[in-house]
Amino acid sequence: MKIWLPVWLLLWSVVAAFGQSQSGDLTVLDPATAGEQFEAYLKREFYQLCDQRSDAINALESVDDCRNWQQSRIDFFLNRIDLFPERTPLNARTVGKLDGDGYRVEKVLFESRPNHHVTGALYLPLGEGPFPGVLVPCGHSHTGKAAGHYQRVSILLAKHGMAALCYDPIGQGERYQMLDYEKDHTHFDWFSSKVPSPHPRVKHLCTEEHTTMGMGCILLGTNIAQFRIWDGMRAIDYLQSRDDIIDDKIGCTGISGGGTLTSYLMALDLRIVAAAPGCFPMTYRRLIETKGPQDAEQSIFGQIAFGMDQADYFNVRAPAPRLILGATRDATFDITGTWDLFRDAKRFYTRMGYPQRIAMVEADVLHGFDYPLREAATQWMQRWLLGVDDVVREFDDPPGSVIDDEEMLRRREGDWTPEELWCTPEGLTMLMPDEKSVFEINVETEESWRTARRSKWQKLTPEGRRSEVRELIGKPAVAESAEFEVVGKIDRDGYSIEKVVLRPEAGIELPALVFLPDQPADEDEIILHLSGAGMKAEAESGGQLEKWVTEDRRIVISAELRGIGETRSGLKVQDWARGRFGADVREFFIAYLMGRSFVGMRTGDVEAWAKFAESYHSENQTKYSIRLIAQGESAIPALHAAALLPDAFSQIELRDMLKSWSELLGENSDGKSLSSVVHDALQHYDLPDLIEMIGADRVRLYDPEQ
C-alpha cells in the first residue's frame, strides 16, 4: 500500500530543508549515532579483552597452571594499588559499651595510620570467649556501620557465637573527609531509612567522596582502594590483638561496597579463612553491559587488559571457602553477571580439586544485606569458623513465606541510632584534634616525591622526556596521513565554513568546522581551535571564530576531540557520576580498566588534527604556521600534544586549564577534572614540566582554574 503525502506537507518539507541549509546548520556528524560511537569504541575493545581473558583461563590444564595464574594476579593487584604503608601502633581503645538482647557491643577506635582513625562497633556473643572474628566492611551507606542491615548481620553473627567487627570506611559514617564549616547539608541514607544523617557538616555523599579522593590516588599511581583495604587489614590486626578472639579463625562478609572490600581483602589477606561477599561480584563484561563501572575504588587500572576479572578475587585464594551472595532484583549488580562469575570460579575451584569450597546463594530481594543473605552469610561463617553446619534463621516465618519489599526493608532496621554507635565525641573523626585526612596524606606523599621527581626529569634528554610521556599516557599511534572527508559547506558573509570528518583510527570519527575567509591575510598562520564545550560553542554568527576569520582573516579549524561535543557519550546512566565528575565518568573508568587514559586518546586526536592541518597546507600550496588554542577539557591533551610534537605549533594558548595536577590532591579539587588525570603521572612529571619542555615563551595560560 502506498501512502501519499498532501502536496502542502511535501512543499513544507522541501522549504524547511532548504531553510535549514541556508541558515547554516553546524552539525557535522549524524546525531543519531555520533553520541554512541565513543562508547561503542570503548566497549568493543573492552569485550575483546574479556574474551582474551576467558580464553586464557579456559586453557589452564593443571593445578600448577592454576597456581601460576593465582600468583600472577596477586602480583598484579599489589602492583596496581601500590605498596601498603608500614604497620604502626594501633593505639586501640574501647570508648563505650552497649548491652543488646543476647549480645553486647564495644565501640572501638584505632589508628590504621598515624592520626588516621577507624571507628568500629564490635558485636560480641554473651560470655567470655574466645570467639572467631568476622570482619563486616560496610557498603555505600551514608551512616556507615550504623546502617540497619549492617547492625542486623553483626547481631546475627554474635548471636551464633562469633564476634563481628563492623567499621566505617573512609567517606562514610564517622569518617567523612570533606566537611563544610560554613553551612549545613542534609543527606539521606538510601540503604535503609529516610532519616536525615546527623552530620550537617558533611559536603558530599560517600560515592562522591570516594571518587574525589580517588582522583588524587590515580595521579599518585595507586588507588583509593589501598586506603580501604589497609583499614580492613588493620581491623584484622585489632581483632587478633584481643584475647577473646581466636586469631586463626577470621572471616569477612559484606555487600555492595562492602562486597567490594570483602572481595579485595579475601584476595590479599591470607588470614581470612572464610568469606562471603555479596551484591558486587559479577563479570566485568556484564557490568559494562548494564550499569557501567562504579566509583574509583571499584576500578583497578589496567585490570582487564592484564586479564584479571572479578572472578579472580575468588580464584587467587582457591581452595579457601568462599560464598557468593546474590540478589535477584539487584539493580546495580545484575544477577546474570553474578551467575557468570560463579561458573568461572566454580570451574577454577574444580580444577584445583575443591569444587565444594565455593558456593552461591540467590535471594529474591533488592540490592542490600536483606535477611536471607544475612542468614546465608552467618551459616557459612558458622560452618567454616565453628565447625557447625546448622540452619540459621533470623525470623520465625513459616516455610515458603513471601515477604514483601516493605517488610523486607523494615527488617533492615537496627537496634541502635547512629549517635548511640558514635566512637568520637562529635560523630566525625575529622573533628578530632590532629586528625589527618586522606587528602592530607596524599598531599604529603606528593610533596615528599617532588624533589626526586624533578631531579629525575631534568636528567632526561628531550626525547627521553617525550618517550616517558608517551608511554605514561598511552598515546595511540596516529596514521601519517590523516584520513578526512569534507561533507558539507556553509556560505556566510565574507567567509565560508567547510564541514569536515576526520578518522584518526578505526571506529572513531571526529568533526570540525573549517572557517575560510574570502580574502585570507598575508600572514601564513592557521588557527587550530579546540573547545572543551565543542566546536559549535563559538561558531555562531558574531562569535569569536567569526571575528578571527573576518577581522584577522585567519583560516580557523574548530575541531573536536573524542567524547567532547558531538561525540559526547550516549551512555544513558544518569546518577551521581554524571554530576560532580562530568559527563564521561563511566567512560573514563571503562578506559581506566583497560589501562587507557582519556588524555592519551585525546592527545592522539590533537596530533591527528595537526596532521590534517598540514595536509590542508599542501592542498592550498601554502605553508602555514599553526597557532593552537585549546580550552577546558581539551587543554591538557593539547598541552601534551605540543610537548610531544615540538615543531608542530608556533604558539600554544591554553584557557581554563589546571595549573598543576597536584591541585587535585586536596579536598577542594574540581571533580570534573577526572577525564584530565593520568595514572601514576605525579611520579614522573607535572603540567608545568610540559610547559617548560615546550618553552614558556611559546605557551600562554589564560584564566587557569583555581
Side-chain angles (χ1 to χ4, degrees):
M1 180 178 67
K2 295 182 178 179
I3 300 177
W4 297 95
L5 290 174
V7 173
W8 67 266
L9 182 58
L10 183 61
L11 288 172
W12 177 87
S13 64
V14 171
V15 170
F18 178 77
Q20 184 184 53
S21 174
Q22 292 302 103
S23 66
D25 177 20
L26 298 174
T27 301
V28 174
L29 302 178
D30 182 354
T33 58
E36 308 290 339
Q37 66 154 308
F38 188 32
E39 175 190 344
Y41 166 87
L42 291 170
K43 286 184 174 181
R44 184 163 52 249
E45 181 179 346
F46 194 95
Y47 298 151
Q48 289 172 354
L49 293 171
C50 289
D51 290 342
Q52 291 173 17
R53 184 261 174 196
S54 294
D55 291 342
I57 197 168
N58 289 335
L60 301 179
E61 296 180 348
S62 66
V63 171
D64 284 343
D65 289 343
C66 292
R67 287 175 179 155
N68 290 334
W69 182 275
Q70 290 176 315
Q71 190 59 53
S72 65
R73 269 71 194 159
I74 290 294
D75 292 343
F76 170 82
F77 197 2
L78 289 171
N79 173 269
R80 280 298 186 258
I81 61 174
D82 206 10
L83 297 176
F84 294 113
E86 64 175 328
R87 276 181 161 82
T88 51
L90 289 169
N91 296 323
R93 61 187 190 273
T94 298
V95 296
K97 296 183 179 182
L98 300 167
D99 291 322
D101 182 10
Y103 68 96
R104 53 200 169 91
V105 181
E106 291 187 14
K107 298 187 289 184
V108 300
L109 190 66
F110 63 87
E111 297 177 35
S112 61
R113 304 170 191 242
N115 296 319
H116 185 70
H117 287 85
V118 178
T119 46
L122 179 62
Y123 295 75
L124 292 158
L126 300 180
E128 296 183 0
F131 315 105
V134 180
L135 202 62
V136 183
C138 296
H140 291 99
S141 59
H142 181 48
T143 52
K145 66 184 181 304
H149 53 167
Y150 299 130
Q151 292 188 46
R152 294 249 61 87
V153 70
S154 302
I155 291 167
L156 192 62
L157 286 161
K159 286 185 173 181
H160 285 80
M162 293 166 282
L165 177 56
C166 186
Y167 65 98
D168 289 322
I170 49 171
Q172 293 172 237
E174 294 183 77
R175 299 186 66 210
Y176 274 96
Q177 309 284 289
M178 302 175 72
L179 305 185
D180 190 335
Y181 299 96
E182 297 180 357
K183 63 180 180 180
D184 291 352
H185 299 258
T186 300
H187 300 293
F188 294 90
D189 194 343
W190 64 273
F191 245 141
S192 49
S193 66
K194 294 300 181 184
V195 178
S197 161
H199 298 320
R201 300 277 76 81
V202 172
K203 285 184 182 180
H204 306 291
L205 286 171
C206 50
T207 48
E208 294 187 43
E209 267 215 11
H210 292 167
T211 301
T212 304
M213 291 183 282
M215 282 198 303
C217 293
I218 288 169
L219 285 163
L220 296 176
T222 180
N223 191 290
I224 191 61
Q226 186 219 67
F227 283 87
R228 292 164 61 84
I229 293 167
W230 188 242
D231 287 343
M233 289 179 168
R234 298 314 313 271
I236 296 175
D237 290 345
Y238 169 73
L239 286 174
Q240 291 185 323
S241 73
R242 293 178 60 110
D243 293 337
D244 56 355
I245 302 297
I246 305 172
D247 63 8
D248 62 350
K249 295 291 184 182
I250 302 294
C252 187
T253 185
I255 56 94
S256 191
T260 308
L261 263 294
T262 299
S263 298
Y264 290 172
L265 286 164
M266 73 187 191
L268 296 176
D269 199 316
L270 287 168
R271 296 173 296 178
I272 294 175
V273 175
C279 293
F280 165 75
M282 66 184 298
T283 61
Y284 269 119
R285 174 187 285 273
R286 189 60 180 159
L287 181 66
I288 301 307
E289 289 173 344
T290 53
K291 192 72 171 179
Q294 301 302 295
D295 50 341
E297 80 271 13
Q298 297 182 352
S299 300
I300 306 300
F301 182 66
Q303 181 170 346
I304 287 298
F306 181 78
M308 183 176 181
D309 210 327
Q310 287 191 30
D312 290 315
Y313 300 139
F314 296 81
N315 296 339
V316 294
R317 294 303 180 199
R322 303 292 186 248
L323 174 68
I324 302 167
L325 306 173
T328 303
R329 291 177 288 133
D330 192 328
T332 303
F333 299 104
D334 178 74
I335 192 65
T336 301
T338 305
W339 276 105
D340 291 341
L341 176 146
F342 175 57
R343 285 192 290 270
D344 186 308
K346 192 73 166 181
R347 288 194 298 270
F348 195 91
Y349 270 68
T350 300
R351 287 190 186 96
M352 296 287 286
Y354 294 88
Q356 75 283 4
R357 295 282 186 93
I358 188 163
M360 177 172 164
V361 170
E362 179 182 343
D364 185 16
V365 294
L366 301 169
H367 183 83
F369 221 149
D370 284 309
Y371 82 89
L373 301 182
R374 300 195 293 263
E375 292 173 344
T378 302
Q379 185 170 336
W380 187 257
M381 297 301 161
Q382 189 177 244
R383 176 189 299 174
W384 295 103
L385 301 182
L386 288 172
V388 176
D389 202 14
D390 292 341
V391 172
V392 171
R393 298 296 300 276
E394 188 174 359
F395 299 94
D396 295 326
D397 302 312
S401 297
V402 177
I403 309 299
D404 63 28
D405 288 345
E406 184 177 350
E407 173 62 14
M408 195 71 71
L409 290 175
R410 190 194 67 76
R411 293 185 178 189
R412 290 186 182 184
E413 295 177 4
D415 288 1
W416 312 102
T417 66
E419 292 87 345
E420 288 173 321
L421 290 172
W422 278 359
C423 302
T424 58
E426 299 179 74
L428 288 168
T429 57
M430 288 307 301
L431 297 179
M432 296 172 63
D434 301 319
E435 183 70 6
K436 189 169 289 188
S437 72
V438 169
F439 296 104
E440 291 173 288
I441 293 169
N442 280 342
V443 167
E444 289 178 1
T445 298
E446 192 273 334
E447 288 176 347
S448 71
W449 293 351
R450 199 173 293 172
T451 299
R453 180 186 73 211
R454 183 69 177 162
S455 175
K456 180 182 176 183
W457 179 260
Q458 291 293 339
K459 291 177 182 177
L460 294 173
T461 64
E463 182 51 42
R465 294 174 193 173
R466 287 191 286 271
S467 177
E468 186 154 314
V469 170
R470 275 192 292 268
E471 182 177 355
L472 197 66
I473 67 174
K475 189 190 75 63
V478 177
E480 282 301 317
S481 57
E483 179 184 342
F484 71 93
E485 179 182 1
V486 178
V487 296
K489 185 177 181 181
I490 299 170
D491 290 320
R492 287 183 177 174
D493 186 20
Y495 67 98
S496 61
I497 303 173
E498 288 185 346
K499 299 181 180 182
V500 173
V501 176
L502 179 72
R503 300 178 181 89
E505 59 178 311
I508 295 294
E509 290 188 338
L510 303 176
L513 299 171
V514 181
F515 290 70
L516 301 169
D518 290 346
Q519 294 182 335
D522 294 333
E523 295 88 349
D524 300 331
E525 180 184 73
I526 191 168
I527 296 174
L528 175 56
H529 177 258
L530 306 169
S531 172
M535 64 188 179
K536 299 178 186 177
E538 300 176 77
E540 295 293 348
S541 296
Q544 178 61 62
L545 303 185
E546 183 174 84
K547 291 179 181 178
W548 282 332
V549 75
T550 57
E551 297 178 11
D552 299 339
R553 294 186 293 150
R554 296 281 186 259
I555 295 173
V556 180
I557 301 172
S558 183
E560 292 181 352
L561 311 181
R562 69 188 72 192
I564 295 174
E566 291 190 8
T567 61
R568 181 72 75 186
S569 178
L571 248 173
K572 303 303 187 295
V573 177
Q574 297 293 329
D575 56 15
W576 66 269
R578 299 295 188 195
R580 176 173 171 77
F581 300 101
D584 48 21
V585 58
R586 300 291 187 192
E587 298 79 1
F588 172 86
F589 282 120
I590 293 175
Y592 191 75
L593 284 161
M594 296 189 291
R596 302 192 67 183
S597 75
F598 266 45
V599 171
M601 290 184 284
R602 288 173 172 173
T603 298
D605 294 341
V606 179
E607 181 179 339
W609 282 120
K611 290 183 179 296
F612 164 74
E614 290 175 3
S615 67
Y616 191 85
H617 302 166
S618 62
E619 289 287 327
N620 289 271
Q621 298 181 341
T622 303
K623 181 62 177 177
Y624 294 94
S625 62
I626 303 175
R627 176 181 166 197
L628 176 62
I629 301 175
Q631 177 267 338
E633 280 187 59
S634 298
I636 289 178
L639 174 63
H640 279 78
L644 295 177
L645 302 170
D647 301 322
F649 309 108
S650 59
Q651 185 176 319
I652 299 96
E653 298 178 19
L654 304 172
R655 303 174 184 271
D656 302 318
M657 189 186 81
L658 284 166
K659 290 183 292 186
S660 167
W661 272 324
S662 62
E663 294 179 6
L664 296 179
L665 301 181
E667 66 176 277
N668 294 320
S669 62
D670 174 14
K672 292 185 179 179
S673 298
L674 180 63
S675 63
S676 295
V677 303
V678 173
H679 185 82
D680 202 26
L682 286 175
Q683 291 209 54
H684 300 268
Y685 68 95
D686 200 352
L687 301 178
D689 295 319
L690 297 184
I691 294 174
E692 182 183 14
M693 184 175 165
I694 297 166
D697 58 324
R698 293 173 56 208
V699 181
R700 296 181 184 176
L701 299 180
Y702 297 90
D703 304 316
E705 293 179 1
Q706 300 301 316

